[in-house]
Amino acid sequence: MYSYITNKYTLTKEMCAELELSRIDTGIIFVSMTFTFVFMVLLSSASDIFPSLPDAAHAYFSSPSVGTILEFSGAAGITFVPPVVAIWCIIKAFPKLVGEKQFKEHMKLVPGINRTASFYDTYVIIEGKFSKKLPYKELRRIGETRNYYILYFKENIILPVDKAGFCKGSLKELKAFLKERRTWKSRIFGVVRYFPLAVLFVFFCYMLWTR
């Protein structure tokens, strides 16, 4: 039996770190919106010190030196620094650390860094030193980064597809191929995962509107 589409890639820790960015896309949005909301609340409660957002931003960022900024106290020191530091840590540190862990998990699932993903009618086979069959009925959702098209299966199994690694077929053909084989549960999961963020966004807009 011949595969419809074949893709080859080399598993690296850098790849796993990039894959993690797709996993935390909603998390980054959630954290950003939460910190923005907290920022607005704290700034409102400290209106006697900083009467408006533009004034607070100007006072903070126009400080003459790094020392002055570090010594800056009050609402601006509370609200500006923690969100920036937290979001920077999430974007930079978390994917790398989790990427190293995911690299080990990938190696346990299929040993070997040089891999081939062969897409058949009802399943995909990952081949390294050994092989692993993944049926499409276990596909939960699909993600995408700059370099990879990512398939998320049950039991936290992740299959990266290198956009530059197609030996047979193309990314466009793969997308159409999987679209015909995704289950209705997979389609619903892909939408429902954004529901909490949608609720938060509506609440966030309501709070800003009623200020």
Side-chain angles (χ1 to χ4, degrees), residues 42-43 46 49-50 56 60 69 71-82:
L42 291 177
L43 193 62
I49 302 176
F50 300 100
Y60 184 76
I69 293 176
E71 294 174 2
F72 205 84
S73 60
I78 295 173
T79 56
F80 276 109
V81 178

Side-chain angles (χ1 to χ4, degrees), residues 79-135:
T79 56
F80 276 109
V81 178
V84 173
V85 173
I87 294 174
W88 183 88
C89 289
I90 291 174
I91 294 176
K92 295 295 183 180
F94 182 76
K96 182 177 180 179
L97 294 175
V98 180
E100 293 179 355
K101 179 179 182 298
Q102 286 298 330
F103 178 82
K104 296 178 181 179
E105 295 297 325
H106 280 277
M107 293 297 289
K108 288 180 181 178
L109 180 68
V110 179
I113 61 173
N114 297 314
R115 300 166 176 235
T116 301
S118 302
F119 294 85
Y120 297 92
D121 188 39
T122 58
Y123 57 84
V124 55
I125 292 182
I126 310 173
E127 297 177 272
K129 292 183 178 180
F130 302 105
S131 62
K132 176 72 175 179
K133 180 188 293 186
L134 301 172

Side-chain angles (χ1 to χ4, degrees), residues 44-183:
S44 298
S45 65
S47 58
D48 57 326
I49 302 176
F50 300 100
S52 66
L53 177 59
D55 293 339
H58 181 270
Y60 184 76
F61 289 108
S62 62
S63 297
S65 67
V66 175
T68 304
I69 293 176
L70 293 177
E71 294 174 2
F72 205 84
S73 60
I78 295 173
T79 56
F80 276 109
V81 178
V84 173
V85 173
I87 294 174
W88 183 88
C89 289
I90 291 174
I91 294 176
K92 295 295 183 180
F94 182 76
K96 182 177 180 179
L97 294 175
V98 180
E100 293 179 355
K101 179 179 182 298
Q102 286 298 330
F103 178 82
K104 296 178 181 179
E105 295 297 325
H106 280 277
M107 293 297 289
K108 288 180 181 178
L109 180 68
V110 179
I113 61 173
N114 297 314
R115 300 166 176 235
T116 301
S118 302
F119 294 85
Y120 297 92
D121 188 39
T122 58
Y123 57 84
V124 55
I125 292 182
I126 310 173
E127 297 177 272
K129 292 183 178 180
F130 302 105
S131 62
K132 176 72 175 179
K133 180 188 293 186
L134 301 172
Y136 300 129
K137 65 180 181 181
E138 295 183 0
L139 179 64
R140 299 191 64 184
R141 72 178 183 92
I142 295 174
E144 188 169 358
T145 66
R146 179 180 180 182
N147 300 305
Y148 303 100
Y149 191 62
I150 313 164
L151 309 182
Y152 298 89
F153 291 84
K154 292 182 180 179
E155 299 180 358
N156 295 321
I157 297 176
I158 304 174
L159 171 59
V161 178
D162 190 341
K163 292 181 179 180
F166 284 95
C167 302
K168 184 178 181 181
S170 63
L171 179 60
K172 183 178 180 180
E173 293 174 341
L174 177 60
K175 290 181 177 180
F177 179 83
L178 293 176
K179 185 177 181 180
E180 297 177 355
R181 288 160 176 79
R182 290 184 68 180
T183 64

